[in-house]
């Protein structure tokens, strides 16, 4: 197993067994007597942590989990049922980073426990960033050199390291990872901003302007990166925060000093084109104090107001400006656990919130909004009652950045030549 999971062995009834002609014992569990479609439907409703344990019960059950139709059916059931996600917690510890998780759809006794993944390539990637999550797959990038990139299913241990791409002496990189339903392809995008060799020899200023850029794309299943040329936008230096309709979404930097408007920009993983997306009618999107999210499959923008307040705008019909609606007004809130640690020395975190206290992560099955406060505390917000609830988990790391993840046995059957 690639997870730090503790399996409790419960007393079981004695199973009947049949001995085949070659002497092998075949255990009869009763599962074999059911029609295939019923078996798949039953298994597809298990939490991902239970499904991982299911595959190790016996050879026959392990064979069921290898059926490609199970992966497709499992993903379909998870989407239709709007199941609670797994929370991937990236712990940025010195020297060696760690990945933890909480399965919110697990059974009552397990959903409050934080468990740790043991990535098989961990020694080769001691410090990393989580680029994104899509259909049960995580994309991780080397945070030290922006060079090594892995696509990884943390619940099966399957992974692949992508080939190296073109690297520039002085560069900043914006990543994205996603899947397009029409082409049925997974792609990783790197928008590289860099300076030419002459300017890179001078000491770096406090704020460096990278005039050169190169958009690089890798399709999983291919053998090399492709360059799409120069980026038409200067994007904020953080990974894509929202994948909607096969499009990755980013926020642009101001075009000019005296024109501070920031654009919402999409990158279509199908035709590989950048496009502007209409913004809601709120002045905050011209400032830097906002971020993007996905709520019930729709693009959302969380805009910071005064005194820690937050407005959440949702685009109910994609790329229709009139469909932007201010869905939630979230008031100021200070979690109890955060009050106790604010006086302690502040840790330097790679993904600074620039003074922001709260980040919108997504929506739970019960309709509540999941919030992360200062990379320390997770909180659910009930918009109908206007109430906050601090979420308590056993073994939660002191510092973390949360990624919503739908656990799956999904994998891309591919071989990449390095």
């Amino acid at each position: 197993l690639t997870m730090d999971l503790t399996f409790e062995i419960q007393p079981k009834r004695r199973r009947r067994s049949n001995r085949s002609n070659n002497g092998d014992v075949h255990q009869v569990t009763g599962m074999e007597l059911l029609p295939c479609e019923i078996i798949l439907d039953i298994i597809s409703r298990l939490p991902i942590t239970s499904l991982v344990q299911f595959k190790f019960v016996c050879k026959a059950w392990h064979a069921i989990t290898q059926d490609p139709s199970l992966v497709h059916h499992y993903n379909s059931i998870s989407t239709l049922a709007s199941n609670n996600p797994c929370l991937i917690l990236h712990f940025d510890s010195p020297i060696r980073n760690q990945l933890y998780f909480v399965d919110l759809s697990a059974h009552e006794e397990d959903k409050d426990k934080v468990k740790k993944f043991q990535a098989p390539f961990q020694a080769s990637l001691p410090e990393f960033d989580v680029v994104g999550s899509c259909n049960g797959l995580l994309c991780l990038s080397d945070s030290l050199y922006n060079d090594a990139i892995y696509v990884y299913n943390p619940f099966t241990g399957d992974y692949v390291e992508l080939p190296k791409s073109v690297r520039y002496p002085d560069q900043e990189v914006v990543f994205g990872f996603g899947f397009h339903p029409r082409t049925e392809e997974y792609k990783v995008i790197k928008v590289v901003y860099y300076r030419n060799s002459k300017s890179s020899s001078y000491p770096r200023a406090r704020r460096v302007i990278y005039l050169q850029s190169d958009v690089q794309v890798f399709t999983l299943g291919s053998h090399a990166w492709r360059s799409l040329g120069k980026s038409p936008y200067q994007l904020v230096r953080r990974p894509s925060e929202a994948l909607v309709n096969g499009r990755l979404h980013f926020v642009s930097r101001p075009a000019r000093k005296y024109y501070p408007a920031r654009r919402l920009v999409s990158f279509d993983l199908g035709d590989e084109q950048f496009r502007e997306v209409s913004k809601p009618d709120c002045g905050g999107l011209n400032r830097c104090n906002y971020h993007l999210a996905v709520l019930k499959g729709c693009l959302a923008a969380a805009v910071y107001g005064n005194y820690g307040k937050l407005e959440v705008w949702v685009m109910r019909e994609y790329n229709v400006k009139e469909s932007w609606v201010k869905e939630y007004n979230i008031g100021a809130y200070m979690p109890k656990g955060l009050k106790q640690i604010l006086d302690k020395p502040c840790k330097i975190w790679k993904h600074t919130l620039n003074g922001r206290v709260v980040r919108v992560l997504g929506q739970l099955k019960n309709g509540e909004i999941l919030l992360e406060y200062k990379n320390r505390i997770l909180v659910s917000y009930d918009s109908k009652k206007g109430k906050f609830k601090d979420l308590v988990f056993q073994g939660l790391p002191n510092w973390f950045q949360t990624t919503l993840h739908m656990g799956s046995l999904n994998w891309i059957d591919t071989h990449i030549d390095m």
Side-chain angles (χ1 to χ4, degrees):
L1 281 178
T2 58
M3 300 180 293
D4 186 14
L5 289 174
T6 301
F7 297 147
E8 296 182 2
I9 302 177
Q10 303 291 346
K12 297 182 176 63
R13 294 181 180 179
R14 182 173 298 175
R15 295 170 178 165
R16 294 179 295 134
S17 63
N18 295 330
R19 188 175 297 273
S20 61
N21 294 333
N22 59 8
D24 294 336
V25 176
H26 171 64
Q27 292 181 333
V28 179
T29 63
M31 183 74 76
E32 299 88 345
L33 305 178
L34 297 175
C36 180
E37 59 272 15
I38 294 181
I39 295 176
L40 293 180
D41 189 64
I42 293 173
I43 299 174
S44 297
R45 300 177 188 278
L46 293 174
I48 183 61
T49 47
S50 299
L51 185 58
V52 171
Q53 298 181 48
F54 173 91
K55 67 186 292 187
F56 290 99
V57 172
C58 63
K59 291 182 178 180
W61 288 17
H62 184 275
I64 293 174
T65 63
Q66 304 304 305
D67 188 340
S69 58
L70 173 62
V71 175
H72 176 74
H73 198 60
Y74 191 86
N75 291 340
S76 300
I77 290 291
S78 298
T79 302
L80 292 174
S82 300
N83 287 340
N84 280 327
C86 293
L87 305 181
I88 302 293
L89 308 174
H90 173 208
F91 177 44
D92 183 23
S93 60
I95 302 176
R96 185 174 297 280
N97 292 189
Q98 299 286 348
L99 283 178
Y100 295 84
F101 79 96
V102 178
D103 186 2
L104 297 182
S105 65
H107 299 298
E108 195 66 31
E109 64 273 12
D110 289 328
K111 69 178 183 179
D112 295 332
K113 295 180 181 178
V114 176
K115 300 173 183 178
K116 183 168 65 174
F117 290 119
Q118 296 289 352
F121 51 84
Q122 192 166 335
S124 304
L125 197 72
E127 295 192 35
F128 56 84
D129 294 324
V130 178
V131 174
S133 166
C134 180
N135 296 341
L137 304 179
L138 284 177
C139 182
L140 309 177
S141 68
D142 186 341
S143 62
L144 294 177
Y145 305 105
N146 290 326
D147 201 12
I149 301 176
Y150 289 81
V151 175
Y152 169 50
N153 186 327
F155 287 102
T156 65
D158 294 322
Y159 73 94
V160 63
E161 182 182 4
L162 304 191
K164 300 295 187 292
S165 61
V166 176
R167 179 175 173 81
Y168 298 90
D170 186 8
Q171 67 177 29
E172 289 184 347
V173 182
V174 177
F175 287 99
F177 170 64
F179 174 81
H180 198 284
R182 178 175 56 81
T183 62
E184 297 186 346
E185 292 178 327
Y186 290 88
K187 294 181 180 180
V188 179
I189 175 177
K190 290 177 64 175
V191 184
V192 184
Y193 298 96
Y194 64 96
R195 297 187 292 174
N196 58 41
S197 57
K198 293 183 180 179
S199 61
S200 63
S201 61
Y202 295 96
R204 296 185 62 170
R206 183 175 182 180
R207 181 172 181 178
V208 180
I209 299 177
Y210 295 84
L211 299 178
Q212 307 296 322
S213 63
D214 184 22
V215 180
Q216 303 171 14
V217 176
F218 185 86
T219 303
L220 267 66
S222 65
H223 302 286
W225 290 82
R226 293 176 288 110
S227 175
L228 304 182
K230 187 175 181 179
S231 170
Y233 301 96
Q234 284 281 339
L235 303 179
V236 173
R237 306 302 196 256
R238 59 176 181 250
S240 169
E241 297 170 314
L243 173 64
V244 179
N245 292 348
R247 296 182 180 185
L248 297 167
H249 293 80
F250 305 88
V251 179
S252 75
R253 285 183 169 183
R256 296 187 300 273
K257 182 177 180 181
Y258 300 104
Y259 183 69
R262 295 173 179 270
R263 297 177 174 88
L264 294 185
V265 179
S266 72
F267 180 81
D268 193 316
L269 293 171
D271 60 19
E272 300 180 349
Q273 296 292 320
F274 284 99
R275 294 180 177 89
E276 288 190 34
V277 180
S278 60
K279 300 185 299 183
D281 292 325
C282 58
L285 288 187
N286 287 334
R287 304 190 298 269
C288 61
N289 55 346
Y290 74 98
H291 64 272
L292 303 177
V294 179
L295 297 179
K296 291 185 177 179
C298 297
L299 181 63
V303 185
Y304 295 89
N306 296 327
Y307 308 106
K309 295 181 180 179
L310 196 65
E311 293 181 356
V312 181
W313 292 73
V314 177
M315 182 187 279
R316 293 181 175 176
E317 185 175 352
Y318 186 75
N319 211 19
V320 176
K321 182 177 178 61
E322 294 75 19
S323 71
W324 279 107
V325 176
K326 185 165 66 174
E327 198 82 35
Y328 306 101
N329 269 313
I330 302 178
Y333 176 70
M334 180 64 69
K336 295 180 181 179
L338 194 58
K339 292 179 182 178
Q340 302 171 0
I341 56 181
L342 281 180
D343 295 333
K344 296 182 179 180
C346 183
K347 182 182 185 296
I348 298 176
W349 178 257
K350 291 197 296 278
H351 305 283
T352 175
L353 291 175
N354 295 325
R356 300 176 304 194
V357 175
V358 58
R359 185 165 66 99
V360 175
L361 298 176
Q363 198 160 15
L364 300 177
K365 185 177 181 179
N366 60 8
E368 295 180 358
I369 304 299
L370 185 63
L371 307 170
E372 179 190 270
Y373 282 78
K374 284 286 187 180
N375 302 116
R376 297 281 194 107
I377 305 293
L378 293 170
V379 174
S380 64
Y381 173 71
D382 187 335
S383 60
K384 295 180 180 180
K385 299 179 180 179
K387 293 185 177 181
F388 297 84
K389 179 183 178 182
D390 293 8
L391 303 181
V392 179
F393 300 104
Q394 300 177 29
L396 192 71
N398 294 328
W399 289 86
F400 55 87
Q401 188 172 39
T402 309
T403 300
L404 265 60
H405 181 78
M406 295 305 296
S408 171
L409 300 180
N410 189 23
W411 185 241
I412 304 100
D413 187 13
T414 181
H415 173 71
I416 297 178
D417 296 326
M418 303 300 291

CSV table of all heavy atoms in Angstrom, one decimal, residues 26 90 95 101 125 142 144 150 160 185 201 209 213 232 258 271 332-333 358 369 375 393 402 412 415-416:
chain,number,residue,atom,x,y,z
A,26,HIS,N,-10.2,-22.0,-4.2
A,26,HIS,CA,-10.9,-20.8,-4.6
A,26,HIS,C,-12.0,-20.5,-3.6
A,26,HIS,O,-12.9,-21.4,-3.3
A,26,HIS,CB,-11.6,-21.0,-6.0
A,26,HIS,CG,-12.5,-20.0,-6.4
A,26,HIS,ND1,-12.1,-18.7,-6.6
A,26,HIS,CD2,-13.9,-20.0,-6.6
A,26,HIS,CE1,-13.2,-17.9,-6.9
A,26,HIS,NE2,-14.3,-18.7,-6.9
A,90,HIS,N,-1.3,19.4,1.8
A,90,HIS,CA,0.1,19.5,1.5
A,90,HIS,C,0.8,20.2,2.6
A,90,HIS,O,0.6,21.4,2.9
A,90,HIS,CB,0.3,20.3,0.2
A,90,HIS,CG,1.8,20.6,-0.2
A,90,HIS,ND1,2.1,21.7,-0.9
A,90,HIS,CD2,2.9,19.9,0.1
A,90,HIS,CE1,3.4,21.7,-1.0
A,90,HIS,NE2,3.9,20.6,-0.4
A,95,ILE,N,12.9,20.7,4.4
A,95,ILE,CA,13.6,19.6,3.7
A,95,ILE,C,12.8,18.6,3.0
A,95,ILE,O,13.0,18.3,1.9
A,95,ILE,CB,14.5,18.9,4.8
A,95,ILE,CG1,15.5,19.9,5.4
A,95,ILE,CG2,15.4,17.8,4.1
A,95,ILE,CD1,16.3,19.3,6.5
A,101,PHE,N,-4.2,13.2,3.9
A,101,PHE,CA,-5.5,13.2,3.4
A,101,PHE,C,-6.6,12.9,4.4
A,101,PHE,O,-6.3,12.2,5.4
A,101,PHE,CB,-5.7,12.3,2.2
A,101,PHE,CG,-5.9,10.8,2.5
A,101,PHE,CD1,-7.2,10.3,2.6
A,101,PHE,CD2,-4.8,10.0,2.8
A,101,PHE,CE1,-7.4,9.0,3.0
A,101,PHE,CE2,-5.0,8.7,3.2
A,101,PHE,CZ,-6.3,8.2,3.2
A,125,LEU,N,11.7,13.8,-5.0
A,125,LEU,CA,10.9,15.0,-5.0
A,125,LEU,C,10.7,15.5,-3.5
A,125,LEU,O,9.6,15.5,-3.1
A,125,LEU,CB,9.6,14.8,-5.7
A,125,LEU,CG,8.9,16.1,-6.2
A,125,LEU,CD1,9.6,16.7,-7.4
A,125,LEU,CD2,7.4,15.7,-6.6
A,142,ASP,N,8.2,20.1,-9.0
A,142,ASP,CA,9.3,20.4,-8.1
A,142,ASP,C,9.3,21.9,-7.8
A,142,ASP,O,9.4,22.7,-8.7
A,142,ASP,CB,10.6,20.0,-8.9
A,142,ASP,CG,11.9,20.1,-8.0
A,142,ASP,OD1,11.8,20.8,-7.0
A,142,ASP,OD2,12.9,19.6,-8.4
A,144,LEU,N,11.6,23.5,-6.1
A,144,LEU,CA,12.9,24.1,-6.0
A,144,LEU,C,13.4,24.5,-7.4
A,144,LEU,O,13.9,25.6,-7.5
A,144,LEU,CB,13.9,23.1,-5.4
A,144,LEU,CG,13.7,22.7,-4.0
A,144,LEU,CD1,14.7,21.6,-3.6
A,144,LEU,CD2,13.8,23.9,-3.1
A,150,TYR,N,5.4,15.2,-11.8
A,150,TYR,CA,4.8,13.8,-11.6
A,150,TYR,C,3.3,13.9,-11.7
A,150,TYR,O,2.7,14.8,-11.2
A,150,TYR,CB,5.2,13.2,-10.3
A,150,TYR,CG,6.7,12.8,-10.2
A,150,TYR,CD1,7.7,13.7,-9.9
A,150,TYR,CD2,7.1,11.5,-10.4
A,150,TYR,CE1,9.0,13.4,-9.7
A,150,TYR,CE2,8.4,11.1,-10.2
A,150,TYR,CZ,9.4,12.1,-9.9
A,150,TYR,OH,10.7,11.7,-9.8
A,160,VAL,N,3.8,8.6,-12.9
A,160,VAL,CA,4.7,8.7,-14.0
A,160,VAL,C,5.4,10.0,-13.9
A,160,VAL,O,4.8,11.0,-13.5
A,160,VAL,CB,3.9,8.6,-15.4
A,160,VAL,CG1,2.9,9.8,-15.6
A,160,VAL,CG2,4.9,8.6,-16.6
A,185,GLU,N,-8.4,13.7,-23.1
A,185,GLU,CA,-6.9,13.7,-22.9
A,185,GLU,C,-6.6,14.5,-21.7
A,185,GLU,O,-7.3,15.5,-21.4
A,185,GLU,CB,-6.2,14.4,-24.1
A,185,GLU,CG,-6.3,13.6,-25.4
A,185,GLU,CD,-5.6,14.3,-26.6
A,185,GLU,OE1,-5.7,15.6,-26.6
A,185,GLU,OE2,-5.0,13.7,-27.4
A,201,SER,N,22.0,38.5,-16.3
A,201,SER,CA,23.3,38.6,-15.7
A,201,SER,C,23.4,39.7,-14.6
A,201,SER,O,24.3,39.8,-13.8
A,201,SER,CB,24.4,38.9,-16.7
A,201,SER,OG,24.2,40.1,-17.4
A,209,ILE,N,10.3,42.2,-14.1
A,209,ILE,CA,9.3,42.1,-15.1
A,209,ILE,C,9.9,41.1,-16.2
A,209,ILE,O,11.0,41.4,-16.8
A,209,ILE,CB,9.0,43.4,-15.7
A,209,ILE,CG1,8.4,44.4,-14.7
A,209,ILE,CG2,8.0,43.3,-16.9
A,209,ILE,CD1,8.1,45.8,-15.2
A,213,SER,N,8.2,35.0,-22.8
A,213,SER,CA,7.3,33.9,-22.3
A,213,SER,C,7.3,32.7,-23.3
A,213,SER,O,7.6,32.9,-24.5
A,213,SER,CB,5.9,34.3,-22.0
A,213,SER,OG,5.3,34.8,-23.2
A,232,PRO,N,-0.2,35.3,-24.4
A,232,PRO,CA,-0.7,36.6,-24.7
A,232,PRO,C,-1.1,37.4,-23.4
A,232,PRO,O,-1.5,38.5,-23.4
A,232,PRO,CB,-2.0,36.3,-25.4
A,232,PRO,CG,-2.4,34.9,-25.0
A,232,PRO,CD,-1.1,34.2,-24.7
A,258,TYR,N,-1.0,52.2,-14.9
A,258,TYR,CA,-2.2,53.1,-14.7
A,258,TYR,C,-3.5,52.5,-15.2
A,258,TYR,O,-4.5,53.1,-15.3
A,258,TYR,CB,-1.9,54.4,-15.3
A,258,TYR,CG,-0.7,55.1,-14.8
A,258,TYR,CD1,0.5,55.1,-15.5
A,258,TYR,CD2,-0.7,55.7,-13.5
A,258,TYR,CE1,1.6,55.8,-15.0
A,258,TYR,CE2,0.4,56.3,-13.0
A,258,TYR,CZ,1.6,56.3,-13.7
A,258,TYR,OH,2.7,56.9,-13.2
A,271,ASP,N,-8.7,22.9,-27.8
A,271,ASP,CA,-8.0,23.6,-28.9
A,271,ASP,C,-6.7,24.3,-28.5
A,271,ASP,O,-6.1,25.0,-29.4
A,271,ASP,CB,-9.0,24.5,-29.6
A,271,ASP,CG,-9.5,25.6,-28.7
A,271,ASP,OD1,-8.9,25.9,-27.7
A,271,ASP,OD2,-10.5,26.2,-29.1
A,332,ALA,N,-17.0,38.2,8.6
A,332,ALA,CA,-15.7,38.0,9.2
A,332,ALA,C,-15.9,36.9,10.3
A,332,ALA,O,-16.9,36.8,11.0
A,332,ALA,CB,-15.2,39.3,9.8
A,333,TYR,N,-14.9,36.1,10.4
A,333,TYR,CA,-14.9,35.0,11.4
A,333,TYR,C,-13.5,34.6,11.8
A,333,TYR,O,-12.5,34.6,11.0
A,333,TYR,CB,-15.6,33.8,10.8
A,333,TYR,CG,-15.6,32.5,11.8
A,333,TYR,CD1,-16.3,32.5,12.9
A,333,TYR,CD2,-14.8,31.4,11.5
A,333,TYR,CE1,-16.3,31.5,13.8
A,333,TYR,CE2,-14.8,30.3,12.3
A,333,TYR,CZ,-15.6,30.3,13.5
A,333,TYR,OH,-15.6,29.3,14.3
A,358,VAL,N,-8.7,34.0,4.6
A,358,VAL,CA,-9.6,32.8,4.3
A,358,VAL,C,-9.5,32.5,2.8
A,358,VAL,O,-9.4,33.4,2.0
A,358,VAL,CB,-11.0,33.0,4.8
A,358,VAL,CG1,-11.6,34.3,4.1
A,358,VAL,CG2,-11.9,31.8,4.5
A,369,ILE,N,-20.2,25.6,2.6
A,369,ILE,CA,-19.0,26.0,2.0
A,369,ILE,C,-17.8,25.6,2.8
A,369,ILE,O,-17.8,25.9,4.0
A,369,ILE,CB,-19.0,27.5,1.7
A,369,ILE,CG1,-20.2,27.9,0.9
A,369,ILE,CG2,-17.7,28.0,1.0
A,369,ILE,CD1,-20.3,27.3,-0.4
A,375,ASN,N,-4.0,28.7,6.3
A,375,ASN,CA,-3.3,27.4,6.1
A,375,ASN,C,-3.2,26.7,7.5
A,375,ASN,O,-2.3,25.9,7.7
A,375,ASN,CB,-1.8,27.7,5.6
A,375,ASN,CG,-1.8,28.4,4.3
A,375,ASN,OD1,-1.3,29.5,4.2
A,375,ASN,ND2,-2.3,27.7,3.3
A,393,PHE,N,-10.0,17.4,13.1
A,393,PHE,CA,-9.5,16.2,12.6
A,393,PHE,C,-8.3,15.7,13.4
A,393,PHE,O,-7.4,16.5,13.9
A,393,PHE,CB,-9.0,16.3,11.1
A,393,PHE,CG,-10.1,16.8,10.2
A,393,PHE,CD1,-10.1,18.1,9.7
A,393,PHE,CD2,-11.1,15.9,9.8
A,393,PHE,CE1,-11.1,18.5,8.9
A,393,PHE,CE2,-12.1,16.3,8.9
A,393,PHE,CZ,-12.1,17.6,8.5
A,402,THR,N,-4.7,23.1,1.2
A,402,THR,CA,-5.7,22.0,0.9
A,402,THR,C,-6.1,22.0,-0.5
A,402,THR,O,-6.3,23.1,-1.1
A,402,THR,CB,-7.0,22.3,1.8
A,402,THR,OG1,-6.7,22.4,3.1
A,402,THR,CG2,-8.0,21.1,1.6
A,412,ILE,N,-3.9,6.4,-16.3
A,412,ILE,CA,-3.7,6.4,-17.8
A,412,ILE,C,-2.7,5.4,-18.1
A,412,ILE,O,-1.6,5.4,-17.7
A,412,ILE,CB,-3.2,7.8,-18.2
A,412,ILE,CG1,-4.1,8.9,-17.8
A,412,ILE,CG2,-3.0,7.9,-19.7
A,412,ILE,CD1,-3.7,9.6,-16.5
A,415,HIS,N,3.0,4.7,-21.6
A,415,HIS,CA,4.5,4.6,-21.3
A,415,HIS,C,5.2,5.8,-21.9
A,415,HIS,O,4.9,6.2,-23.0
A,415,HIS,CB,5.0,3.3,-22.0
A,415,HIS,CG,6.5,3.2,-21.9
A,415,HIS,ND1,7.2,2.9,-20.8
A,415,HIS,CD2,7.5,3.4,-22.9
A,415,HIS,CE1,8.5,2.9,-21.0
A,415,HIS,NE2,8.7,3.2,-22.3
A,416,ILE,N,6.0,6.4,-21.1
A,416,ILE,CA,6.6,7.7,-21.5
A,416,ILE,C,8.1,7.4,-21.6
A,416,ILE,O,8.7,7.0,-20.6
A,416,ILE,CB,6.3,8.8,-20.6
A,416,ILE,CG1,4.8,9.1,-20.6
A,416,ILE,CG2,7.1,10.1,-21.0
A,416,ILE,CD1,4.4,10.2,-19.7
